[in-house]
């Protein structure tokens, strides 16, 4: 097998396969799924995708994934094209990976491994790097395969594409588990720092507006347009990973904090959902969520459904208001664009914009102003002196405007959103009025 590290004059030649199981329930067309997988592969540096195909499957073969005829056909194709790396857009078991690599004499990555490789290349902050390392170790742990009386070479972690496992495994899963514990301890310190930053923001009466959406929907371009920042924005999947926050002054003079988060994708590896949970929890702090959609994409509805599922898994409350921002209207044909704008006018929670040209942005900012103004109002509370937990919660949320002690308890003036009010009432109901 050609080792890409020894070949300096050309990139790694990759072939993308999307297994299409006839009996599987499908949300999107196999051809669109293949196109997304090719875009994922193109997001890696030094990778040249020289071929791609949908591989029809009647059933999954436990040992080799594909049938013998298909394996032989693909093997000849890979040999003729000088393929170094095969990317399978779906799950591949450790045994299937080992057998296919041996049969085809190439390096093989499944969808999880590919996304982990991209994340490893893109993570910039300390937290992002640690999160990717943790996710990679969790994935790598499933790739350990014993061969007779000794362990095979390592098949996971960062640097999947770098060759057929340059490091010999010195220990088994215990070594990986020890490393996981070490990284989790480091992450705990970073997460505590992030929580301190959140606590500091709660004391500042600025609402938080979070951008979420499918990867490459244009979140970073919209973020730059709204804030004047220069966050990396490319026509590329997962162009940015690390969350970015900036202050924005709305036309009314009101100030908000805008948060740009990592893009979502269908079949996001569970290891990454778990590892990036602390980062994605920024969304849970939001007073308003902007779901940015690539309205020009042929599967925009399917992408929106994927985003909705991830938000639900994170526990985002239905009480948090959400706008759908239909981005990239500049890429639509005039008749479709006009019809879309008519539909937009009929649905107040939908806003058609072009983050690239700025069209529709003024109306979106006005809607944000109105939504946040409606969501925050003042209230007077009297808390018994025994309500230490409830009082601490109010201060932690940063909603306290004034506070004075009276004969009957703490007299507190708060300015909060409907979400915060509901959460406070739930807290008091759970812990009792004296909580």
């Amino acid at each position: 097998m050609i080792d890409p590290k020894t070949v300096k004059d050309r990139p790694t030649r990759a072939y993308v396969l999307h297994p299409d199981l006839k009996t599987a329930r499908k949300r999107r067309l196999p051809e669109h799924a293949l196109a997304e997988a090719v875009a994922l592969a193109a997001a890696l540096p030094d990778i040249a995708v020289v071929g791609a195909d949908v591989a029809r499957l009647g059933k999954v073969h436990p040992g080799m994934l594909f049938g013998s005829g298909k394996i032989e056909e693909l093997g000849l194709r890979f040999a003729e094209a000088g393929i170094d790396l095969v990317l399978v857009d779906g799950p591949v078991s450790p045994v299937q990976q080992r057998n296919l690599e041996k049969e085809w004499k190439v390096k093989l990555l499944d969808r999880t491994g590919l996304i982990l490789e991209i994340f490893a290349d893109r993570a910039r902050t300390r937290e992002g790097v640690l999160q990717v390392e943790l996710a990679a170790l969790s994935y790598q742990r499933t790739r350990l395969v014993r061969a007779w009386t000794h362990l095979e070479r390592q098949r996971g972690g960062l640097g999947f594409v770098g060759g057929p496992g340059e490091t010999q495994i010195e220990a088994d899963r215990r070594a990986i588990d020890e490393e996981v514990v070490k990284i989790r301890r480091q992450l705990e310190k970073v997460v505590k720092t992030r929580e301190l930053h959140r606590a500091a923001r709660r004391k500042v009466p600025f609402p938080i507006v979070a951008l979420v959406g499918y990867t490459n929907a244009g979140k970073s371009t919209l973020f730059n347009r709204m804030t004047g920042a220069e966050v990396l924005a490319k026509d590329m999947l997962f162009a940015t990973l690390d969350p970015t926050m900036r202050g924005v002054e709305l036309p009314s003079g009101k100030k908000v904090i805008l948060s740009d988060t990592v893009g979502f994708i269908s079949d996001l590896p569970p290891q990454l959902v778990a590892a990036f949970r602390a980062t994605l929890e920024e969304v849970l702090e939001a007073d308003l969520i902007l779901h940015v959609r690539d309205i020009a994409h042929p599967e925009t509805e399917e992408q929106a459904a994927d985003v909705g599922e991830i938000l639900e898994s994170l526990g985002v409350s239905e009480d948090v208001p959400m706008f759908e921002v239909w981005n990239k209207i500049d890429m639509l044909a005039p008749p479709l664009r006009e019809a879309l704008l008519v539909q937009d006018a009929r649905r107040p929670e939908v806003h058609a914009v072009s983050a690239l040209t700025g069209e529709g942005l003024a109306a979106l900012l006005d809607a944000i102003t109105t939504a946040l103004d409606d969501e925050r109002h003042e209230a007077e509370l009297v808390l018994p002196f025994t309500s230490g937990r409830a009082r601490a919660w109010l201060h932690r949320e940063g909603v306290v405007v004034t506070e004075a002690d009276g004969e009957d308890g703490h007299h507190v003036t708060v300015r909060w959103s409907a979400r915060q009010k509901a959460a406070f009432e739930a807290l008091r109901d759970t812990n009792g009025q004296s909580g």
Side-chain angles (χ1 to χ4, degrees), residues 319 377 379-381 383 390 393-394 397 414 416-433:
D319 295 331
H377 60 277
E380 301 292 334
L381 303 175
L383 302 178
W393 187 91
L394 292 173
E397 287 289 309
V414 297
W416 56 13
S417 65
R419 174 178 63 86
Q420 290 169 321
K421 179 183 178 183
F424 176 74
E425 290 174 346
L427 175 71
R428 297 188 73 182
D429 289 342
T430 301
N431 296 286
Q433 291 297 317

Side-chain angles (χ1 to χ4, degrees), residues 57 61 64-75 103-104:
L57 276 176
H61 296 262
M64 300 287 279
L65 183 61
F66 304 102
S68 57
K70 192 67 175 178
I71 289 175
E72 183 179 355
E73 173 196 334
L74 290 171
E103 183 71 27
W104 290 336

